[in-house]
Amino acid sequence: MFVPPFFAGLAAVLGKHAQPAQVFTGFVFEFSLWFVIYLLSLIYGIAMSIGEIEDGTAGYLYLSAVPKWLIVLIQMAGPRRR
């Protein structure tokens, strides 16, 4: 939140040919671009997961990404149920 104004001020104080307004808009654009990409991927991933949970195939989908030997190791090392 305070990073773009900080670097714009730093460029105004230390830079001889730096233009603080362009530095500020460049930082704001880069941060907003990455935030939008992160937010859209999060929404898309949640929507996919909810669809799999409703279908009842989420367990198969999530366990298929983990190797079988790792599942066995986790089951052996995990807490015992009585």
Side-chain angles (χ1 to χ4, degrees), residues 29-73:
F29 176 73
E30 288 294 325
F31 284 141
S32 64
L33 180 69
W34 283 109
F35 181 73
V36 168
I37 290 172
Y38 173 73
L39 190 62
L40 287 176
S41 63
L42 189 64
I43 291 170
Y44 186 67
I46 289 172
M48 286 177 46
S49 297
I50 288 174
E52 294 298 325
I53 289 170
E54 287 177 356
D55 292 341
T57 58
Y60 302 117
L61 179 68
Y62 295 140
L63 287 178
S64 66
V66 179
K68 302 293 184 215
W69 64 267
L70 185 57
I71 295 173
V72 171
L73 184 66

